[in-house]
Amino acid sequence: MTSSKLFKERYFAQIVTLLLLLLILVIGAVPGYLKGNWQWEEPPPVTNLKKLKRIRQTGLALPGWQTIEQAEQPIGEQKWSLQLIKKQDSKIEAVLLLLPQNGPRKQPQVEWTEINGWGRLRWGQWDIAQSRLVEFTVKQPQAKVKARFFRAATKEQTFAVLQWYAWRDGGDPSTLQWLLADQIAQLQKQRAAWVAVSILVPMEPLGKIDTVWSEVKSLGETVQDTLMTNEL
């Protein structure tokens, strides 16, 4: 697939998403307008907000993985949960960064930019290569997730990085896709509570991310499944 074709397909998908969002906003706004109020002045509450906020202090308990260390990590203007985890009966380790929604009006915005800045600040280098969109599916309950997958080379380590916004029905690295899911949920007097997920798996210096995709994908599925089952 040529770069031009890929760009056109992504652009078309963004246009379709914007049109759907506009349609949903109009459908949701008209009843409120006729009654003299606006739905977005007071969105429905995020019922599991307290549970989400605790993620910063406790991290996430993942089946098959042991937490070696966990702490709150300032990244940009926000505080993430930084968790060093190790796969049971294996030498595989990973860094799990989680940023849960912390208010009913809080929207995902610049999380990936902040992670890039944190990487440069922590390691003095954060060179991104081999970036692509990937998909994986969680089976129980079934949900499809799209994520950013790329290689980040630092002065000390090379990582395979997987990033997405998780909500109870799926996930996507695009803030527009979350907004669409949240607007649909609000029409049903619900919310699409979210958690920003960034997984860093050490890999061969300047290697191909395809060589670690199977392991990264498996961890991504475990994180999404755990969030959907216990948190979102």
Side-chain angles (χ1 to χ4, degrees), residues 90-192:
S90 172
K91 294 182 179 180
I92 297 174
E93 295 185 353
V95 177
L96 176 61
L97 289 161
L98 300 170
L99 178 70
Q101 183 176 3
N102 68 352
R105 294 181 179 273
K106 177 61 176 175
Q107 299 182 7
Q109 293 178 326
V110 293
E111 283 68 33
W112 313 142
T113 300
E114 290 182 340
I115 290 290
N116 292 343
W118 170 75
R120 294 187 186 97
L121 184 64
R122 183 183 180 96
W123 289 289
Q125 183 177 333
W126 184 261
D127 294 336
I128 293 176
Q130 302 178 36
S131 180
R132 69 192 68 173
L133 285 177
V134 294
E135 293 185 3
F136 58 87
T137 301
V138 176
K139 296 182 179 179
Q140 297 293 335
Q142 187 166 357
K144 182 176 290 187
V145 175
K146 287 185 179 180
R148 298 175 68 217
F149 185 45
F150 59 90
R151 187 188 72 193
T154 76
K155 290 183 176 180
E156 302 175 8
Q157 184 84 55
T158 299
F159 296 100
V161 183
L162 192 66
Q163 296 178 330
W164 75 97
Y165 296 108
W167 56 87
R168 64 174 174 269
D169 298 320
D172 198 284
S174 167
T175 56
L176 278 177
Q177 292 297 330
W178 169 81
L179 186 58
L180 179 61
D182 190 52
Q183 288 299 318
I184 292 173
Q186 287 193 42
L187 292 178
Q188 302 171 352
K189 305 299 182 183
Q190 299 177 1
R191 298 297 304 277

Side-chain angles (χ1 to χ4, degrees), residues 5-24:
K5 184 177 180 181
L6 182 61
F7 174 78
K8 289 179 180 179
E9 289 184 355
R10 289 183 179 178
Y11 182 74
F12 177 75
Q14 291 177 349
I15 293 297
V16 171
T17 300
L18 285 171
L19 290 175
L20 285 173
L21 180 58
L22 180 60
L23 178 62
I24 290 171

